[in-house]
Structures are given as structure tokens and as C-alpha cells.
Amino acid sequence: MVRRIPTGIKGLDPLIEGGFIKGSAILVTGGAGTGKTIFSLQFLWEGLQRGEPGVYITLEEDVEDIKEDARRFGWDLEEFEKKGLFKLVYYDPLQVNEMGINVVEDIAKINAQRVVVDSVSIVGMMLPNQMQIRKKLISLINSVKRTGATSVLISEVLDSDEKGLSRFGVEEFVVDGVIALYYFGVGEGIARSLMIRKMRRTNQGTNTYPLIINENGIEIKNDI
Ligand SMILES: Nc1ncnc2c1ncn2[C@@H]1O[C@H](COP(=O)(O)OP(=O)(O)O)[C@@H](O)[C@H]1O
Ligand SMILES: [Mg+2]
């Protein structure tokens, strides 16, 4: 029996048999402003509500900005940080070589059950070729997996390459699941959507589902 953990994203769990498989690594991919950071924070916040410690690893954004993003949705991460149940860590992209070990330490320190890496695209940018990127990502993912934590890895797709699932074309192959977020400007409105592109060992929804962002975070509209 596989254990599944609720994602915290309203409307998503019914599309993936109840949640992410515990201990799996899920890539969340999309262009700028598609909601990747909010998705990840919501995933961690859900864990905190369930007593599962969480770590947010960032290689690009200011830690204060991320906390501020979360606060907008009423997710007070600092409260959990003070209690030792949450950790927000910035890594200089130049540190990618030691990252795997350090991330495992960060996870172990608070016994984190949920981990976010924002973003693996930055990890890839520091390496010379696809082979190296693949090796590094596999080693990073396996290090995290050995801890038993469930991870969400963010992959930033360039707007000029919206059809791609990841910047380097390797990220999607080394994970257990891929969730793609899209953003289209239509007329005066914005249409956001989500598609589950890969979810190992899961009978998943196969449509493109409307996604909305409101004061409560992300919500997926499905007919289930
Ligand atoms: N309270 C809100 N209500 C509606 N939309 C919001 C709200 N807060 C943020 N957004 C939308 O979310 C976007 C940012 O999402 P984010 O997760 O930071 O994107 P990404 O990490 O993919 O670049 C903003 O560009 C904005 O369109
Ligand atoms: Mg972001």
C-alpha cells in the first residue's frame, strides 16, 4: 500500500488518487508568474497544519520576499520557524556542488517531511551540459528521497519555450511526477491552467484544468 499525502492544493488531490505518493519527487514547471512559488508554499503550509515539518530551499528569491508572499495568503511561516518546524534556506547557486549534503542536513535538523527546491533550473544553469545536469539532479533527488521526505522541485520554463516542460529537457525524466502550470492572456482576462503531465503509479486526471489564484491561494477547478 502506498501512502499518499494531501497536497494542500484545493481540487488537485481528487485528480491524483488523493495526493502525492509519500517520499516522491514532483516537478512543478511553468513560466514566470504561473504560480509555482505559491503552489510550493501551499504544499508546505498544508504539511505544517498536519504537524509535518517543512523546508523551503531557494536559490533565487530573497527569503524575506518568500515569507511576505506566504503572509499575503495568511500563511505565517515565521510562527512555525520559531517552533523549529519550518526552515527557509537560501543557497548561492555557486554552492550547487555541496548542495545535496547541505539539503539533507537541513531536512534532518527539523525532521522535514516536505521539501521544496526553488528552482532546479538554477542548479542546471551552473552546469556545463545535460549529462552533468542529469547527474546532479538525480543525486540531489536521491539524497532527498533517502530522507523519506516528499519534495516539490520547481522548474522555470522560459516564455519563449512554453511547450517545453523544463529548461534543460532533463528535469522531467528524473522525477516521479510532473505538474505543468500555464498562463495565457485572453482578451482582458487571464486564463490559468494546470496539467498533470506525469504521475508514476497513479491513475491521474488527463485534462487541462482551470487554475485560479485568489486570497486563499491556488484552486483547481475539476468536475469531480
Ligand atoms: N492574492 C492574489 N490574488 C490573485 N492572484 C495573485 C495573488 N497573489 C499573487 N497572484 C498571482 O500570482 C502570481 C505570482 O505567482 P508565483 O507563484 O510567485 O509565480 P512563479 O513562482 O511561477 O513565478 C502573480 O503574478 C499574480 O498574478
Ligand atoms: Mg517563483
Side-chain angles (χ1 to χ4, degrees):
M1 263 300 281
V2 291
R3 266 191 64 196
R4 294 195 181 256
I5 66 161
T7 61
I9 310 296
K10 205 171 166 212
L12 178 59
D13 293 347
L15 302 174
I16 51 174
E17 290 188 34
F20 296 143
I21 291 179
K22 189 171 167 11
S24 63
I26 309 297
L27 191 74
V28 172
T29 170
T34 51
K36 302 182 297 299
T37 296
I38 298 170
F39 184 108
S40 308
L41 289 168
Q42 199 165 337
F43 164 75
L44 288 182
W45 184 250
E46 177 68 20
L48 294 175
Q49 300 313 295
R50 294 170 175 273
E52 301 166 16
V55 177
Y56 195 109
I57 310 283
T58 175
L59 289 107
E60 43 193 320
E61 289 184 63
D62 184 82
V63 294
E64 288 308 318
D65 276 350
I66 292 171
K67 281 186 200 166
E68 203 51 53
D69 280 6
R71 209 170 290 132
R72 263 301 302 264
F73 298 104
W75 308 329
D76 183 1
L77 297 173
E78 242 152 41
E79 177 198 333
F80 286 90
E81 203 168 26
K82 284 189 198 126
K83 288 191 248 170
L85 297 170
F86 175 73
K87 220 165 138 54
L88 186 49
V89 198
Y90 173 80
Y91 281 107
D92 189 305
L94 294 169
Q95 292 174 286
V96 288
N97 280 326
E98 308 93 69
M99 220 182 113
I101 305 159
N102 293 336
V103 169
V104 168
E105 279 174 11
D106 294 329
I107 293 171
K109 259 182 224 152
I110 62 166
N111 189 26
Q113 303 296 305
R114 300 189 184 213
V115 179
V116 170
V117 178
D118 185 0
S119 69
V120 293
S121 318
I122 299 282
V123 175
M125 280 165 72
M126 303 313 292
L127 300 165
N129 56 49
Q130 288 209 341
M131 178 88 129
Q132 296 273 327
I133 295 170
R134 198 179 173 119
K135 252 173 83 178
K136 176 57 76 187
L137 290 181
I138 289 174
S139 108
L140 179 64
I141 290 167
N142 285 340
S143 303
V144 172
K145 279 194 167 180
R146 276 195 291 273
T147 70
T150 309
S151 55
V152 165
L153 314 170
I154 294 180
S155 175
E156 181 103 27
V157 182
L158 300 177
D159 284 336
S160 58
D161 186 28
E162 282 285 10
K163 285 192 205 79
L165 284 180
S166 56
R167 186 170 297 184
F168 305 102
V170 299
E171 296 99 308
E172 62 264 37
F173 297 108
V174 299
V175 290
D176 301 301
V178 178
I179 290 178
L181 306 184
Y182 301 99
Y183 174 112
F184 301 100
V186 282
E188 289 177 6
I190 307 169
R192 297 180 186 277
S193 60
L194 170 147
M195 196 173 185
I196 302 153
R197 299 295 302 260
K198 165 177 175 178
M199 199 59 64
R200 270 189 194 149
R201 301 196 290 281
T202 304
N203 180 6
Q204 55 156 88
T206 52
N207 294 338
T208 300
Y209 302 94
L211 178 157
I212 55 168
I213 303 178
N214 60 28
E215 66 280 2
N216 300 315
I218 291 178
E219 184 178 336
I220 309 306
K221 296 287 181 194
N222 64 51
D223 299 326
I224 297 170

